[in-house]
Amino acid sequence: MTDNEALSAKALSLISHKLRTPLSIINGYSEAVLSQAEKENFSPFTTKALEEINKQGSRMSSLVDKLMAFNQVITADAQHIEKQSLPLKELIKECASKVIAQDEGPLPTQQGKGVKRGTFVEIDCSIQLTLQANENMLRLAVCELLENAIKFNNKMEKIIKVQVAHHGDSISISVRDYGVGIRPQDVGQIFEPFYQVDDYFTGQVSGWGLGLPMVQRIASLHHGSVSVVSDRGLGSIFTLSFPL
């Protein structure tokens, strides 16, 4: 790591820690006051304002957590990260449950004329497949790809397919969505830190633009790679490849 990179990492870490304490106070007090809303007979405006404060505080906390995770990943040393044998199907299922629970969209239910609403993750992975990897980092990478598959999809029914394949000397984890896809001019830049492609989607997609660079760094720390194939309007397939 160069001196400039080390300085940037230190700045990110300092910013993250400085933001975390006031956010914890904002979220804690807003939740405490909201819990008394019925008892105190707050006006509708006051209740709505408190709910919005708490919602945005939670959103900012998630952004700070992502910033801290990114900082930890970019400063990690491939030779010193702890690895263990991880059962891939179980890990992916846990990641899928987590991101679906965080999704603000409707729960999977049947809504008139047989149209489904919600997020569905289909996993094609042998229960025997394992990978030597850092558990926290692999979870971060898989969750990030699943979160993006949900975020960049404005359909009522969001279907995500995860396929894990053993190729003899490597293992690949592919996450396929059927969302908006990525414009050709953006494909070469999406792994650059702070780059975002939200203008085509809504202009309001939240985040730092650090998720995919973090995924790429995690793959690199495991001597692997990440690639993407995308068709505008048809969706994207992100593939993590790890050598065995």
Side-chain angles (χ1 to χ4, degrees), residues 5 16 34 56 70 76 125 161 175 196 220-222 226 231:
E5 288 173 335
S16 299
L34 272 172
Q56 295 302 326
F70 176 77
C125 176
K161 294 185 178 181
V175 178
Q196 293 181 298
S220 177
L221 287 168
H222 291 80
V226 59
D231 290 319

Side-chain angles (χ1 to χ4, degrees), residues 54-237:
N54 185 252
K55 176 184 175 181
Q56 295 302 326
S58 297
R59 177 174 172 268
M60 281 299 299
S61 292
S62 296
L63 288 171
V64 170
D65 288 343
K66 180 66 69 68
L67 192 61
M68 294 188 73
F70 176 77
N71 189 60
Q72 291 170 356
V73 168
I74 63 170
T75 56
D77 183 348
Q79 294 182 344
H80 295 97
I81 61 173
E82 295 183 5
K83 296 180 182 179
Q84 63 188 92
S85 181
L86 301 172
L88 290 175
K89 188 165 188 175
E90 180 182 342
L91 184 144
I92 294 168
K93 284 176 66 177
E94 290 171 359
C95 289
S97 296
K98 178 182 177 182
V99 298
I100 289 174
Q102 292 173 341
D103 182 22
E104 294 182 349
L107 293 173
T109 55
Q110 294 291 126
Q111 298 286 335
K113 296 184 180 180
V115 177
K116 291 182 179 179
R117 296 176 63 89
T119 303
F120 304 84
V121 179
E122 301 175 5
I123 302 171
D124 179 7
C125 176
S126 169
I127 198 169
Q128 287 85 20
L129 277 181
T130 62
L131 180 68
Q132 282 287 131
N134 179 276
E135 182 174 5
N136 183 52
M137 289 187 182
L138 187 59
R139 286 182 184 276
L140 282 172
V142 173
C143 283
E144 182 63 33
L145 295 182
L146 291 172
E147 286 172 8
N148 281 350
I150 294 172
K151 185 190 301 183
F152 293 98
N153 191 333
N154 56 5
K155 297 176 182 176
M156 289 191 296
E157 180 186 34
K158 303 176 184 180
I159 298 176
I160 303 163
K161 294 185 178 181
V162 183
Q163 184 174 42
V164 183
H166 183 196
H167 305 284
D169 59 352
S170 67
I171 282 181
S172 65
I173 303 172
S174 295
V175 178
R176 178 173 187 172
D177 67 69
Y178 298 88
V180 296
I182 305 169
R183 296 175 302 186
Q185 62 266 36
D186 290 321
V187 171
Q189 302 181 73
I190 57 176
F191 294 103
E192 294 294 323
F194 302 108
Y195 185 81
Q196 293 181 298
V197 294
D198 58 359
D199 56 325
Y200 165 66
F201 188 66
T202 64
Q204 299 295 324
V205 174
S206 62
W208 295 105
L210 295 176
L212 290 176
M214 182 173 68
V215 171
Q216 186 179 57
R217 174 62 177 164
I218 289 170
S220 177
L221 287 168
H222 291 80
H223 307 291
S225 63
V226 59
S227 60
V228 59
V229 176
S230 186
D231 290 319
R232 189 72 175 274
L234 298 177
S236 306
I237 304 174

Side-chain angles (χ1 to χ4, degrees), residues 12-64:
L12 286 176
S13 180
L14 181 63
I15 291 169
S16 299
H17 281 96
K18 290 295 184 180
L19 287 172
R20 175 164 278 184
T21 298
L23 281 171
S24 296
I25 294 172
I26 291 170
N27 293 340
Y29 274 112
S30 61
E31 287 178 10
V33 176
L34 272 172
S35 69
Q36 301 296 314
E38 207 172 300
K39 179 181 176 182
E40 297 294 337
N41 196 27
F42 292 149
S43 70
F45 172 80
T46 300
T47 300
K48 184 176 180 180
L50 286 168
E51 288 173 346
E52 189 63 23
I53 290 169
N54 185 252
K55 176 184 175 181
Q56 295 302 326
S58 297
R59 177 174 172 268
M60 281 299 299
S61 292
S62 296
L63 288 171
V64 170

